[in-house]
């Protein structure tokens, strides 16, 4: 599943391709993708993209009039930049979003489709996607520690719980624990100050390293 580094790169790529451009057509070919129906996805057609943001592991496209398309790619969902009017593949395609200079094609390789798209109106509607975890690249050491020890979890569970830390999943939690030289089964409330500092530094360094690698 795309995690913080991968989602960050998607956000940057989408900013280059579609921010400031008008959505001409939203072609949804998979009924399982849409999880909301009011407003419908067509509400974004004819409107300009004014921003892209990450919400945990989700990607939100913001349009004029505070219309948001909020995507969760799940394990094998992928955005691809293609020519305008590209066909949506029958087996692995979900949707295509046409812009004047090209199209964003959304595909998913898994047999059981789990990617999702919510269409919402207004900033306040985005709160339903926020799980409450601190942003690991923005939090201070004190904020990181407070979130970590709020519950007595194993380190593996704590790192991957979106209510504790935002955007980290199985793959990057393993990288972080390896870099911090800490066992995944150690309980958060048994960490000493040095171990918390090591984990904080490893989390930030690992995520930043992967963002740069992906760039």
């Amino acid at each position: 599943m795309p995690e913080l580094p991968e989602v960050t790169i998607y956000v940057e790529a989408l900013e280059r391709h579609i921010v400031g451009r008008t959505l001409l057509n939203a072609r949804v070919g998979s009924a399982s993708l849409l999880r909301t129906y009011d407003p419908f996805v067509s509400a974004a057609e004819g409107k300009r993209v004014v921003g892209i943001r990450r919400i945990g592991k989700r990607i939100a496209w913001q349009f004029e009039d505070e219309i948001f398309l909020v995507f969760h790619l799940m394990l094998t969902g992928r955005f691809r930049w293609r020519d305008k009017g590209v066909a949506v593949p029958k087996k692995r395609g979900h949707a295509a979003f046409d812009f004047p200079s090209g199209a964003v094609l959304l595909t998913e390789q898994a047999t059981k489709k789990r990617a999702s798209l919510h269409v919402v109106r207004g900033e306040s509607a985005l709160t339903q996607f926020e799980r409450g975890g601190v942003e690991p690249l923005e939090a201070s050491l004190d904020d990181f520690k407070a979130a970590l020890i709020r519950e007595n979890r194993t380190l593996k569970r704590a790192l991957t719980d979106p209510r504790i830390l935002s955007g980290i999943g199985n793959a990057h939690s393993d990288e972080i624990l390896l870099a911090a030289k800490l066992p995944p089964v150690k309980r958060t409330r048994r960490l000493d100050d040095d171990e918390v500092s090591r984990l904080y530094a490893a989390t930030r360094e690992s995520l930043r390293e992967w963002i740069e690698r992906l760039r």
Side-chain angles (χ1 to χ4, degrees):
M1 180 182 299
E3 300 175 25
L4 189 153
E6 293 79 16
V7 174
T8 297
I9 296 304
Y10 268 130
V11 167
E12 292 177 354
L14 288 164
E15 285 175 337
R16 292 194 300 271
H17 284 294
I18 68 174
V19 167
R21 295 172 172 83
T22 299
L23 177 64
L24 304 177
N25 192 19
R27 296 178 284 123
V28 178
S30 171
S32 68
L33 178 70
L34 276 174
R35 305 300 170 87
T36 55
Y37 297 94
D38 185 20
F40 196 63
V41 66
S42 58
E45 293 178 341
K47 292 183 171 57
R48 185 169 52 89
V49 180
V50 297
I52 308 288
R53 70 180 75 173
R54 179 181 67 82
I55 306 175
K57 297 176 188 175
R58 299 177 189 267
I59 300 171
W61 302 5
Q62 181 179 355
F63 291 82
E64 295 171 308
D65 299 331
E66 290 198 330
I67 297 291
F68 294 88
L69 270 56
V70 184
F71 298 86
H72 198 320
L73 299 178
M74 298 303 291
L75 189 61
T76 61
R78 297 292 184 270
F79 284 126
R80 306 173 190 278
W81 183 246
R82 295 291 185 261
D83 292 335
K84 184 173 63 174
V86 62
V88 179
K90 290 183 179 180
K91 289 187 177 181
R92 60 185 180 86
H94 274 304
F97 302 87
D98 293 310
F99 293 88
S101 57
V104 178
L105 179 65
L106 175 57
T107 64
E108 187 174 11
Q109 295 290 351
T111 303
K112 185 176 181 180
K113 301 294 191 294
R114 300 178 61 198
S116 65
L117 167 59
H118 291 75
V119 184
V120 298
R121 190 188 301 273
E123 285 278 347
S124 61
L126 297 178
T127 58
Q128 64 185 293
F129 307 112
E130 297 171 355
R131 303 295 301 278
V134 300
E135 288 293 340
L137 295 181
E138 300 173 10
S140 67
L141 174 58
D142 287 343
D143 290 339
F144 180 87
K145 180 179 180 179
L148 201 65
I149 65 174
R150 189 167 56 238
E151 298 178 15
N152 192 25
R153 300 288 196 89
T154 64
L155 285 179
K156 178 70 173 180
R157 289 285 301 278
L159 287 174
T160 57
D161 188 335
R163 298 172 302 165
I164 297 174
L165 294 170
S166 178
I168 301 175
N170 285 323
H172 287 289
S173 64
D174 290 340
E175 295 273 349
I176 290 165
L177 289 170
L178 182 64
K181 298 181 180 179
L182 289 169
V185 295
K186 182 154 188 172
R187 312 295 292 193
T188 54
R189 289 181 179 170
R190 296 184 66 86
L191 294 170
D192 60 32
D193 287 343
D194 177 66
E195 290 171 324
V196 171
S197 295
R198 276 165 41 204
L199 185 62
Y200 176 70
T203 299
R204 294 161 65 85
E205 289 169 9
S206 180
L207 294 175
R208 285 171 173 159
E209 179 182 350
W210 273 103
I211 289 171
E212 289 306 316
R213 283 187 187 183
L214 292 168
R215 284 185 178 134

